[in-house]
Amino acid sequence: MTLTQDSVDISAPSRTGLPRTYEVRTYGCQMNVHDSERMAGLLEAAGMVPAKDAGQIPVTDASGDTVLTGAIPDVIVINTCAVRENADNKLYGNLGMLAHIKESNPGMQIAVGGCLAQKDRDTVQKRAPWVDVVFGTHNVGALPVLLERARHNADAQMEILESLEVFPSTLPTKRDSVYAGWVSISVGCNNTCTFCIVPSLRGKERDRRPGEILAEIQALVDDGAIEVTLLGQNVNSYGVEFGDKLAFGKLLRACGAIEGLERVRFTSPHPAAFTDDVIAAMAQTPNVMPQLHMPLQSGSDKVLKDMRRSYRSNKFLGILDKVREQIPNAAISTDIIVGFPGETEEDFQATLDVVEKSRFSTAFTYQYSKRPGTPAADLPGQLSKEVVQERFLRLTALQDRIAAEENALQVGREVEVMVTAGSGRKAAQTHRLSGRAKDQRLVHFSVPEGAATPRPGDLVTVTVTDAAAFHLVADPPSIAQFHLRRSRAGDAWDLAQAASCGVPAPSSGPGVVKGVSLGMPSLPVRTA
């Protein structure tokens, strides 16, 4: 029996007699999150349904009586990350727990994909022989075929390609949210940072043609989205494959011409390729948001050289100065690695100095993880855990202070907030909703008595009344200080909610859009 992507159907009834269900668990970066949306889309295109939508599953208890229990997915896909030191520990710990569940649920399948699968290959099946499918970063589209082949042959399947066969954006996608989503403009990376294993796992940079990108954005907007984030490993080097060094700035400006697209973001640029034309495009394109994520990694020129980061601290600070000159209200965030091999106390102090000067709104700080297969793993001067931890705590204390000071400057300012589906940890006590300001700051806000409650995707304009290191608060004293603008994205949210509950929704008419989900995962926020 020969199985192909066109012929595969994995929608056969599950062990319960109901349609087969799936769950995708994601670890790692935004690229992995976007890949997981494609995995979900592929599984649904093949006839499966999300476990959370499957309802309760009838099972028989020890006495023979039928009872209802929570849904155990028929297929669990783990999309792995290989960047952090504990990535493999997390994977095999999860697989160990799933082994016991699988023993009690014949027919259940487990698939492992992503960067760690690409890197470790045979190791996954050696350490976890109960895994049914192992697939890599270059063949996400093969997932349904591999699952059906494993089921049909009653044998584990592994397929790891060395290069991309199909650009991921041509695959079906199940987005996580209706109001904002990722749009991949490139995959892979041409840089050789010594701490990073990504280029060897995702390959050289491949760029999509501008027309394909803009067509996807237009389709998302037509389906109700009002925000997109352009995604690439080094997003601002876009155009290198077809020889246009100004392509990224042109793409930003083209996004400004899409009617109904209110917010455009991008991540993550590389400082070495960040040019003046991109800054000008950001400043001159109204729907490009005043927010920039610019990875620093280290403030020490020596460490940057050892990392093979082709810029130095003065160039980095110069970029921030130019951005703030043209976009005075820009919020700038960053990534920083602490404890890179050979980092001295003087090197670390240089990082603290750059952080102090940069005034980041937030920083994603990481302790260096020695990753086999990277050049940095073999560098001399590997630091002890105690030294790295002590420096990490000093850095986070500094950044927490700066973030609190920068957020305090927002008190009294009027901000437009796009409401998100997720709420803060204390929402039950505070009765506040949450959203993101144009500069990507998290805002928790209350709805005054008598005001209409906004939906995810709607926009509210409020005045900031309080601030902390990781969020802003807006508590309007009256309905007069609360301005709600209902949006097409909010309409799309309503329709998607109605569809998920089986409630009939209008198929035509003003403001009606198709209930297609779009994906914008929230970034992790460290709490004080």
Side-chain angles (χ1 to χ4, degrees):
M1 176 180 179
T2 301
L3 297 173
T4 66
Q5 181 63 55
D6 292 333
S7 65
V8 69
D9 180 5
I10 56 177
S11 61
S14 69
R15 59 187 181 275
T16 65
L18 299 176
R20 299 188 77 203
T21 63
Y22 76 89
E23 176 186 333
V24 180
R25 300 181 181 180
T26 310
Y27 303 102
C29 66
Q30 296 96 330
M31 193 71 76
N32 269 23
V33 172
H34 200 24
D35 283 348
S36 289
E37 292 178 336
R38 296 189 175 101
M39 294 173 196
L42 285 160
L43 296 176
E44 293 197 17
M48 300 187 71
V49 297
K52 63 182 176 63
D53 293 342
Q56 293 180 307
I57 290 181
V59 297
T60 303
D61 64 12
S63 64
D65 295 326
T66 299
V67 297
L68 292 176
T69 185
I72 296 174
D74 295 292
V75 173
I76 293 182
V77 183
I78 301 179
N79 189 10
T80 63
C81 170
V83 174
R84 305 305 303 282
E85 185 175 17
N86 65 349
D88 48 356
N89 294 333
K90 181 178 291 186
L91 170 64
Y92 295 114
N94 276 278
L95 290 177
M97 290 186 286
L98 289 174
H100 301 296
I101 298 174
K102 185 177 181 181
E103 285 179 4
S104 305
N105 294 273
M108 178 182 176
Q109 291 184 294
I110 301 171
V112 176
C115 292
L116 197 63
Q118 184 81 22
K119 181 176 78 72
D120 285 356
R121 304 174 183 241
D122 295 333
T123 304
V124 176
Q125 288 184 330
K126 288 178 181 177
R127 293 185 59 175
W130 55 90
V131 169
D132 299 276
V133 170
V134 179
F135 63 105
T137 58
H138 299 306
N139 61 319
V140 171
L143 175 59
V145 170
L146 294 172
L147 285 167
E148 179 58 16
R149 190 183 298 160
R151 187 196 65 79
H152 180 269
N153 297 341
D155 189 34
Q157 301 292 312
M158 179 177 72
E159 185 176 292
I160 306 290
L161 301 185
E162 296 300 329
S163 60
L164 198 65
E165 286 190 338
V166 177
F167 201 93
S169 290
T170 64
L171 301 175
T173 303
K174 169 66 183 297
R175 310 273 183 168
D176 286 338
S177 132
V178 295
Y179 42 83
W182 306 108
V183 174
S184 180
I185 70 170
S186 64
V187 295
C189 179
N190 292 342
N191 290 315
T192 58
C193 301
T194 56
F195 58 81
C196 186
I197 200 167
V198 168
S200 65
L201 302 181
R202 291 194 176 268
K204 293 292 185 181
E205 181 172 329
R206 294 276 304 276
D207 295 330
R208 295 176 72 190
R209 288 289 169 174
E212 295 176 4
I213 297 168
L214 295 172
E216 181 178 354
I217 295 173
Q218 184 64 63
L220 301 186
V221 172
D222 290 345
D223 286 334
I226 60 174
E227 175 176 304
V228 298
T229 298
L230 306 178
L231 183 63
Q233 212 70 53
N234 291 301
V235 68
N236 58 315
S237 65
Y238 172 72
V240 65
E241 190 178 21
F242 50 85
D244 186 353
K245 294 182 179 180
L246 303 180
F248 186 61
K250 293 176 182 176
L251 183 61
L252 291 179
R253 293 181 187 276
C255 288
I258 298 177
E259 186 176 354
L261 179 60
E262 300 197 25
R263 296 186 172 197
V264 177
R265 307 185 191 276
F266 58 88
T267 192
S268 292
H270 194 293
F274 206 79
T275 52
D276 291 350
D277 68 291
V278 172
I279 299 173
M282 292 175 63
Q284 296 165 10
T285 308
N287 63 357
V288 175
M289 293 295 93
Q291 173 248 333
L292 175 64
H293 184 76
M294 179 71 77
L296 169 64
Q297 307 302 5
S298 175
S300 163
D301 290 349
K302 170 186 171 296
V303 172
L304 288 173
K305 181 179 179 181
D306 291 342
M307 289 179 169
R308 291 186 196 157
R309 299 285 288 179
S310 47
Y311 58 89
R312 299 297 177 257
S313 57
N314 281 341
K315 177 180 176 66
F316 183 90
L317 290 168
I319 292 172
L320 303 197
D321 288 342
K322 290 179 180 179
V323 170
R324 286 175 170 141
E325 181 181 350
Q326 296 192 48
I327 314 170
N329 58 336
I332 300 175
S333 56
T334 198
D335 298 327
I336 302 173
I337 297 172
V338 178
F340 189 80
E343 180 189 78
T344 65
E345 179 61 29
E346 181 180 9
D347 293 325
F348 178 66
Q349 184 58 52
T351 295
L352 297 180
D353 292 342
V354 173
V355 169
E356 187 74 68
K357 294 174 183 175
S358 297
R359 309 298 296 178
F360 297 118
S361 60
T362 189
F364 298 89
T365 51
Y366 307 93
Q367 299 185 35
Y368 169 74
S369 298
K370 184 176 181 179
R371 303 305 296 144
T374 62
D378 299 322
L379 288 177
Q382 303 283 333
L383 303 182
S384 69
K385 178 67 175 178
E386 293 75 20
V387 169
V388 177
Q389 175 70 11
E390 188 274 335
R391 290 178 183 173
F392 178 80
L393 292 176
R394 274 194 282 158
L395 173 62
T396 54
L398 171 63
Q399 176 54 39
D400 290 353
R401 172 180 64 79
I402 292 172
E405 292 171 353
E406 291 299 305
N407 278 357
L409 298 176
Q410 307 301 311
V411 174
R413 293 183 179 177
E414 191 175 76
V415 294
E416 182 186 68
V417 179
M418 187 175 76
V419 183
T420 56
S423 299
R425 291 181 297 110
K426 299 180 180 179
Q429 294 92 342
T430 63
H431 304 291
R432 294 187 181 110
L433 301 177
S434 300
R436 294 282 175 176
K438 288 186 175 182
D439 63 8
Q440 191 66 344
R441 283 184 166 93
L442 176 64
V443 182
H444 302 307
F445 65 94
S446 57
V447 179
E449 185 176 353
T453 300
R455 308 159 297 179
D458 285 340
L459 298 115
V460 298
T461 301
V462 290
T463 299
V464 178
T465 55
D466 198 5
F470 309 115
H471 66 267
L472 306 176
V473 174
D475 288 326
S478 70
I479 193 172
Q481 282 75 47
F482 180 83
H483 303 284
L484 167 62
R485 177 161 64 91
R486 292 190 173 271
S487 71
R488 295 179 307 102
D491 296 339
W493 170 267
D494 276 347
L495 288 174
Q497 292 298 104
S500 68
C501 297
V503 177
S507 59
S508 62
V512 171
V513 294
K514 291 177 287 183
V516 175
S517 298
L518 312 170
M520 175 52 118
S522 58
L523 295 174
V525 177
R526 183 168 39 80
T527 55

